[in-house]
Amino acid sequence: MSQLPLVGLSSVEAATRLKSGGYNELPAADRRGVFRIAFEVVRQPMFALLIAGGVVYLILGDLMEAVLLLVFASLSVVITIVQESRSERVLEALRNLASPRALVIRDGKRVQIAGREVVCGDLLVISEGDRVAADATVVDGHDLLLDESLLTGESLPVRKLAAAVDLQIGSVPAVAGGEDSPYVFAGTLVVRGTAKALIRATGVHSEMGKIGKDLRSIETEQPHLQRQMSWLIRDFAIVGAVAGAMAVLLFGLLRGSWLQAMLGGIALGMSLLPEEFPLVMTVFMAMGAWRISQARVLTRRASAIETLGATTVLCTDKTGTLTENRMTVVTLRGADGRWDKDSKELPSPAMRDVLDVALSASAREPSDSMDLAVHAMATSVGGLRLPVNADRRLIRAYGLRPDLFAVANVIGDEAQRSARAYAKGALEAIGELCHLPSDRLALVRTQVDELAGRGIRVLAVAQSPQLDPGQIATLADSPRGINFEYVGLIGFADPLRSNVPAAVKECRSAGIRVLMITGDYPATACAIGSQAGLDATKVLSGDEIDALTDESLATRVRDTSVFARIRPNQKLRIVKSLKANGEVVAMTGDGVNDAPAIKAAHIGIAMGGRGTDVAREASAIVLLDDDFGSIVKTIRLGRRIYDNLRKAIEYIVAVHIPIAGLALLPLLLGMPLMLTPIHIAFLEMIIDPACSMVFEAEGEEANVMRRPPRDPKSPLLLRRRILWALLQGLIALAILAGVLISASRMGMAEADLRTLVFTSLVLINMGLILVNRSFESSLLRALLQPNRALWILLGSVLLLLGVAIYWQPAQSLFHFGKLHWNDLAVCLAVGAVSLVGLEALKSKLFRAETINPPNVAAS
């Protein structure tokens, strides 16, 4: 072992090196700056139409109109840049959260930081399941095995040994794939063991940086939604282009004014062009991921937002997710007695021996919750031997393996010139190591059953007789080669999180089944499951799963909510069986071997606190606090985001109909143009923030968790809802057409008529926003629901409308006339009638859906 002082850097020195050396990351090609966003905006058809309209006004000699239109074009660009820049900043923050984590020693303490913040000279702590954050030299390690296939292409893992005492960085070639070398590389995976390593290269200077591979990415688009959105944009664009061309021909041929015809065609094209759709998608996905992150959940793949609302089965582990992961030792059992925490007495010498063996089988620097509990108990009792100290040397450590639920340490005692092996783990594994006869094993199992029935997690402990030098020299790769003697049991209690029963109940009301999958003893699993509110009458064990065919397992999982003694590879079978039954599955996991099940699930959920980087990489979302309640919050938020996205799209469809109608109707009736590109550009100043800000910030429906999961095959725009959007638009157009025709027949001047119609359109537009806010709440309740963005928008619109109508320069620019008080009363009446009428119609059409939503009882 190296004798290098393993103290790490100070925080001050690390900050200095970070400032001088930069972050440990590779350049990201997909980050968009302000100029790139602006360039993408000016390439959009809407911007081209605005510029074309400005050119036509210049040709006509209307300089002020041309300038105003160009100002509106600039404002459109600014709004889009602000919104998308905000989205980019959110995505950048999420990228930083998603980067590999690193456990380093700074100021003599272990601290977990983002992988991008490690610097050369940092002392990195790595263990099974971690991705190495930077190129480093191992200075202290145990049973270290790494998968370097990312760099070498070789699938077999390679062993790593600690550097010699006199090794200087650079004296031995640092080449990936080297067996027994001390070098580890960024991006490689720790398959087994633990180590401390001195970082020697970061960022572009690492081997990964040299070959230009980017190990991390966040998908910012949803494939399914993106396809649907592309179809919508294509269809609207085709309709807009055809309608605009026909309008130009119709106006030009019938009236002979081709420049005016071009203005009319541009206005109609602008009214039908769905330029809000891409903005809505960008903002909703980025801000949705940000909102979910506020619930301490990281969204690594935006497609998870779409799938969350369709989840029908939620598979969760127990420790740390349903429980607080705050283990304490509550009982000790041995051949010569027992000790219980409630007794308030210190353990007897025989019970101290049980605790001593458990402590010797634990890690020297504990991170596992049960190891921490054992160390805490040993400290409170006092007088026990630490696993490794000045007189005790760790010779070999055996980690937990899929085929053996036990860990073991071989420790040499310098004072007694002896060595022993100590093991702790599941009763079945310890019974196998100790070769316990069936009658003795049955007796111990009775004790375990009794404790497990009280929700206590139980580990058995064992030790070997003294090992001679020959046995030590020929230690096998598995502790099965050592003869162990059974010592006793140690029991841990981990209290259920206080919010779990309510969260499980909420899932049931939302039609989501909750399954608990744990490695615990069946009786313990049942006890915790019952406390959590699960149906724990049926339990399926890992051994039973192995004995079932895929068809039989698919049948059993339909009515089983508790799975016990499950090995990671069996999680994958459970996921596949649920999927075979047509379920939409969310699966939690934290280990390397959980990655296949996480990846196979529709929504993979990794633990951010205790989870490995491999599990995080396979997942769609990461729980930063490992709390089951956060999963339920995420599902709730996912449903809210999808609901609001639908509302925004439906509002866009509805509002474009009266605008397009007012652009086309005067052409058909032989009347002067009511809406020109200037007016439609003004309206876009309302529509863009309404769909991208107001609806995105809208609160959830009251019944969001009282309705069944959404069918994952259902389209973004349901037929019933799109018909409702079309109906809203047609009713609004009919009202406006009535106002237009009636006022025209009354001989109202063209400028006054345009003012009347435009004001009515703006007020009806505001009504459409209010109507589409909620399908569950009444209008009054919806108005009382907080949405700061809504009131800012409506207040700004009314202020700008007042300026446009009553300020003389603005009147001239918009070709407005006077709006007398009686005309204003007509506009207000039109807005109120449309709002109240649409609200009453919505209530009637959707009453059954909102008052008594269909539900699926979850078992």
Side-chain angles (χ1 to χ4, degrees):
M1 297 295 174
S2 170
Q3 299 302 313
L4 292 172
L6 306 181
V7 295
L9 299 174
S10 68
S11 299
V12 175
E13 177 63 20
T16 302
R17 295 191 182 192
L18 183 63
K19 186 176 181 180
S20 61
Y23 286 107
N24 174 40
E25 59 186 1
L26 303 181
D30 60 344
R31 299 179 188 177
R32 301 188 304 162
V34 172
F35 292 107
R36 180 177 168 185
I37 295 172
F39 178 69
E40 291 177 358
V41 172
V42 299
R43 292 172 57 195
Q44 294 178 0
M46 178 62 76
F47 187 81
L49 288 175
L50 288 169
I51 296 298
V55 172
V56 173
Y57 276 123
L58 284 174
I59 295 173
L60 290 172
D62 294 331
L63 179 62
M64 292 303 297
E65 285 84 347
V67 171
L68 182 62
L69 201 58
L70 294 175
V71 168
F72 276 133
S74 301
L75 286 174
S76 177
V77 173
V78 168
I79 288 175
T80 306
I81 289 174
V82 169
Q83 285 299 96
E84 296 207 15
S85 296
R86 183 185 181 194
S87 300
E88 284 295 313
R89 288 195 298 271
V90 168
L91 291 175
E92 180 61 26
L94 296 178
R95 286 188 188 102
N96 295 340
L97 280 174
S99 67
R101 303 165 302 167
L103 184 63
V104 297
I105 297 177
R106 288 186 180 172
D107 300 317
K109 298 179 181 178
R110 294 188 176 198
V111 293
Q112 195 167 70
I113 61 174
R116 66 193 296 267
E117 296 177 3
V118 300
V119 296
C120 287
D122 256 328
L123 192 58
L124 179 69
V125 181
I126 54 177
S127 57
E128 179 179 339
D130 289 343
R131 286 278 183 197
V132 180
D135 291 3
T137 303
V138 178
V139 293
D140 183 18
H142 303 291
D143 195 24
L144 189 62
L145 207 62
L146 267 79
D147 176 1
E148 296 184 341
S149 59
L150 197 64
L151 295 172
T152 65
E154 298 294 331
S155 59
L156 291 177
V158 293
R159 184 173 59 190
K160 299 292 181 178
L161 299 178
V165 175
D166 58 351
L167 177 71
Q168 298 297 318
I169 295 175
S171 64
V172 176
V175 180
E179 187 79 21
D180 292 342
S181 94
Y183 297 113
V184 295
F185 300 93
T188 56
L189 169 65
V190 182
V191 176
R192 194 172 70 212
T194 59
K196 295 185 180 72
L198 192 66
I199 292 179
R200 57 186 180 82
T202 61
V204 294
H205 303 292
S206 67
E207 289 300 308
M208 184 65 67
K210 291 176 183 177
I211 62 176
K213 289 212 174 174
D214 191 353
L215 298 181
R216 291 283 186 174
S217 64
I218 293 181
E219 299 176 11
T220 59
E221 292 183 347
Q222 297 179 338
H224 182 60
L225 280 180
Q226 192 65 27
R227 285 197 303 272
Q228 294 189 59
M229 198 62 70
S230 297
W231 297 336
L232 282 173
I233 294 172
R234 179 199 62 195
D235 295 344
F236 270 79
I238 291 173
V239 171
V242 172
M246 290 181 62
V248 172
L249 289 174
L250 180 66
F251 198 98
L253 292 173
L254 294 180
R255 303 193 188 184
S257 176
W258 289 98
L259 287 177
Q260 288 292 333
M262 288 184 65
L263 285 178
I266 290 171
L268 185 58
M270 289 174 62
S271 67
L272 290 172
L273 195 67
E275 61 96 19
E276 301 91 357
F277 286 165
L279 179 64
V280 164
M281 281 296 297
T282 302
V283 171
F284 266 75
M285 293 304 100
M287 294 305 297
W290 175 78
R291 289 191 186 280
I292 288 175
S293 73
Q294 302 306 293
R296 301 289 297 158
V297 177
L298 169 65
T299 307
R300 295 190 64 254
R301 297 187 180 92
S303 57
I305 296 176
E306 177 185 0
T307 313
L308 281 168
T311 302
T312 60
V313 174
L314 176 55
C315 303
T316 177
D317 60 353
K318 177 184 74 68
T319 305
T321 307
L322 296 179
T323 62
E324 295 180 359
N325 200 23
R326 186 168 49 84
M327 291 284 188
T328 56
V329 177
V330 294
T331 187
L332 299 168
R333 299 289 175 95
D336 299 325
R338 58 182 290 178
W339 171 85
D340 292 298
K341 185 177 181 180
D342 296 338
S343 66
K344 308 298 183 182
E345 297 178 358
L346 290 175
S348 65
M351 294 303 97
R352 289 167 65 95
D353 288 341
V354 175
L355 183 60
D356 199 11
V357 172
L359 181 63
S360 297
S362 301
R364 174 190 177 185
E365 296 176 345
S367 57
D368 176 78
S369 59
M370 284 185 285
D371 280 0
L372 289 167
V374 171
H375 275 262
M377 178 70 179
T379 301
S380 66
V381 171
L384 299 180
R385 299 175 297 171
L386 292 174
V388 180
N389 56 29
D391 296 324
R392 306 185 86 202
R393 178 172 60 91
L394 181 63
I395 298 172
R396 184 70 183 268
Y398 295 97
L400 197 68
R401 297 169 187 259
D403 60 339
L404 189 69
F405 275 17
V407 296
N409 288 333
V410 180
I411 297 177
D413 193 323
E414 301 292 344
Q416 298 183 10
R417 298 182 179 277
S418 64
R420 289 181 187 270
Y422 305 88
K424 64 179 173 65
L427 175 60
E428 295 90 338
I430 296 300
E432 178 186 346
L433 293 177
C434 296
H435 306 289
L436 288 179
S438 57
D439 56 341
R440 177 78 184 281
L441 187 62
L443 182 62
V444 178
R445 183 174 282 114
T446 302
Q447 293 180 307
V448 172
D449 286 342
E450 183 267 323
L451 293 172
R454 292 158 46 193
I456 296 174
R457 186 168 185 178
V458 184
L459 294 181
V461 297
Q463 68 178 357
S464 73
Q466 290 189 8
L467 304 175
D468 59 45
Q471 290 175 301
I472 296 174
T474 58
L475 286 173
D477 290 335
S478 168
R480 287 189 173 95
I482 303 173
N483 292 321
F484 284 92
E485 298 174 352
Y486 175 78
V487 174
L489 302 173
I490 180 169
F492 304 85
D494 184 11
L496 193 72
R497 290 182 185 266
S498 59
N499 63 343
V500 165
V504 170
K505 183 179 180 181
E506 190 172 22
C507 283
R508 291 168 64 92
S509 70
I512 301 171
R513 290 179 60 207
V514 179
L515 310 184
M516 183 175 74
I517 303 175
T518 178
D520 269 353
Y521 200 71
T524 306
C526 281
I528 296 297
S530 296
Q531 294 174 29
L534 303 180
D535 179 5
T537 55
K538 294 182 180 179
V539 183
L540 197 58
S541 70
D543 291 339
E544 290 176 304
I545 288 176
D546 284 340
L548 293 173
T549 64
D550 290 343
E551 293 76 14
S552 299
L553 181 58
T555 302
R556 292 289 299 276
V557 297
R558 287 173 182 161
D559 58 358
T560 302
S561 298
V562 177
F563 298 81
R565 277 296 188 255
I566 299 298
R567 294 183 289 277
N569 63 308
Q570 293 167 339
K571 284 188 176 183
L572 181 58
R573 286 197 67 196
I574 295 173
V575 170
K576 288 182 176 179
S577 297
L578 291 167
K579 291 173 70 175
N581 291 337
E583 307 283 6
V584 178
V585 184
M587 164 66 76
T588 67
D590 57 5
V592 177
N593 291 327
D594 290 335
I598 292 174
K599 191 171 184 178
H602 296 96
I603 302 179
I605 304 173
M607 302 295 112
R610 67 182 189 277
T612 61
D613 282 327
V614 177
R616 285 160 55 96
E617 288 177 358
S619 67
I621 62 177
V622 179
L623 300 185
L624 299 180
D625 55 7
D626 298 0
D627 186 355
F628 177 79
S630 297
I631 304 176
V632 181
K633 288 179 186 176
T634 303
I635 293 174
R636 174 187 287 270
L637 281 169
R639 291 187 173 193
R640 165 189 164 178
I641 292 164
Y642 201 83
D643 279 354
N644 289 343
L645 179 59
R646 274 181 167 168
K647 293 174 186 176
I649 299 298
E650 289 160 9
Y651 161 74
I652 292 171
V653 172
V655 77
H656 274 272
I657 292 175
I659 296 174
L662 285 181
L664 182 61
L665 196 59
L667 298 178
L668 299 176
L669 299 179
M671 300 172 61
L673 292 176
M674 290 293 103
L675 297 183
T676 64
I678 288 179
H679 302 103
I680 296 177
F682 181 91
L683 291 169
E684 289 296 335
M685 299 303 105
I686 304 172
I687 297 171
D688 280 352
C691 61
S692 64
M693 295 170 57
V694 173
F695 284 106
E696 191 282 325
E698 191 61 46
E700 66 197 34
E701 299 280 12
N703 71 339
V704 70
M705 293 297 280
R706 296 199 308 270
R707 60 182 190 235
R710 175 180 53 81
D711 184 350
K713 297 179 181 178
S714 66
L716 174 62
L717 294 180
L718 299 174
R719 178 176 297 179
R720 187 180 186 192
R721 297 283 286 271
I722 194 65
L723 289 176
W724 164 239
L726 292 172
L727 181 60
Q728 290 180 77
L730 291 172
I731 290 174
L733 176 58
I735 294 174
L736 289 169
V739 172
L740 173 64
I741 295 172
S742 300
S744 176
R745 289 183 176 178
M746 293 172 62
M748 183 175 284
E750 177 186 330
D752 293 350
L753 179 60
R754 181 177 293 111
T755 309
L756 178 70
V757 172
F758 185 80
T759 304
S760 300
L761 174 59
V762 171
L763 294 177
I764 287 177
N765 185 6
M766 295 168 66
L768 288 174
I769 296 173
L770 296 174
V771 167
N772 285 279
R773 284 186 65 198
S774 174
F775 280 82
E776 194 275 340
S777 300
S778 66
L779 178 60
L780 179 60
R781 286 178 58 192
L783 289 173
L784 296 176
Q785 290 176 0
N787 187 334
R788 186 174 61 177
L790 170 69
W791 302 117
I792 292 175
L793 175 69
L794 296 185
S796 302
V797 168
L798 291 175
L799 178 62
L800 291 174
L801 182 62
V803 170
I805 293 172
Y806 294 109
W807 189 42
Q808 181 59 44
Q811 281 184 346
S812 300
L813 288 173
F814 282 92
H815 301 284
F816 282 161
K818 294 182 179 180
L819 188 70
H820 301 94
W821 289 110
N822 57 336
D823 298 329
L824 179 60
V826 170
C827 295
L828 292 173
V830 164
V833 167
S834 65
L835 173 61
V836 175
L838 288 173
E839 182 66 26
L841 186 59
K842 180 187 72 175
S843 176
K844 184 176 181 180
L845 290 176
F846 295 95
R847 179 176 300 166
E849 181 179 315
T850 58
I851 296 177
N852 187 26
N855 207 343
V856 177
S859 60

